[in-house]
Amino acid sequence: MGVGTNLKRLRTKTKFSQQDIADKLNIDRVTYSNWENETFDVKSQYIPQLAEIFDVELYELFKDDQKIQVTNNIENNDKTGTGGVGVQKGKIIINMIITDEASAVKLGEQLEKILNQK
């Protein structure tokens, strides 16, 4: 998780729009959007202002608390599912990166519960 992901999370939490944040920083909305999408890095001069806008400590803009990352790299060419995480012919396919043992154990327990319900 990068700074852009944190910016988006904080902005959503505070219910600001991208335009609201851009206006507070006196920048273009597209510039701010590029930061959230991590197309461009945030210029250092704006980091203290962003922390102030979101009412967080500076380190919170950079922290990485993510334990599980779910990504979709499934091509659903046969159109049998909705695309989402990867639904194909009645099967759900999930690709994920688990960064710590505790999360892996918890996920395994939850998946086992789901599978045993059938």
Side-chain angles (χ1 to χ4, degrees):
M1 177 176 357
V3 174
T5 304
N6 286 332
L7 290 176
K8 186 171 184 176
R9 177 182 52 79
L10 291 166
R11 182 179 57 78
T12 302
K13 182 178 175 183
T14 58
K15 302 198 189 304
F16 286 125
S17 69
Q18 288 183 342
Q19 187 65 58
D20 293 335
I21 303 299
D23 289 345
K24 290 176 184 292
L25 297 171
N26 294 316
I27 60 172
D28 189 71
R29 186 201 61 80
V30 174
T31 299
Y32 180 79
S33 176
N34 285 333
W35 294 349
E36 277 192 7
N37 295 324
E38 299 181 3
T39 305
F40 296 110
D41 291 334
V42 179
K43 293 190 178 197
S44 59
Q45 69 193 53
Y46 294 106
I47 292 172
Q49 290 173 274
L50 287 164
E52 186 177 321
I53 290 168
F54 294 125
D55 194 28
V56 297
E57 298 294 325
L58 287 175
Y59 78 90
E60 291 183 68
L61 297 174
F62 300 95
K63 72 179 185 175
D64 185 356
D65 288 341
Q66 185 169 333
K67 302 292 183 204
I68 299 175
Q69 175 185 353
V70 178
T71 59
N72 175 18
N73 63 357
I74 306 298
E75 287 190 46
N76 195 0
N77 294 328
D78 62 359
K79 308 295 184 221
T80 57
T82 59
V85 172
V87 179
Q88 291 183 334
K89 296 183 181 175
K91 296 179 183 176
I92 299 173
I93 302 167
I94 302 172
N95 294 318
M96 58 181 58
I97 299 167
I98 302 173
T99 59
D100 68 311
E101 187 177 349
S103 293
V105 169
K106 185 174 181 178
L107 178 64
E109 290 169 354
Q110 291 174 349
L111 287 172
E112 190 173 327
K113 270 185 179 178
I114 291 169
L115 293 172
N116 288 332
Q117 289 177 358
K118 290 187 174 187

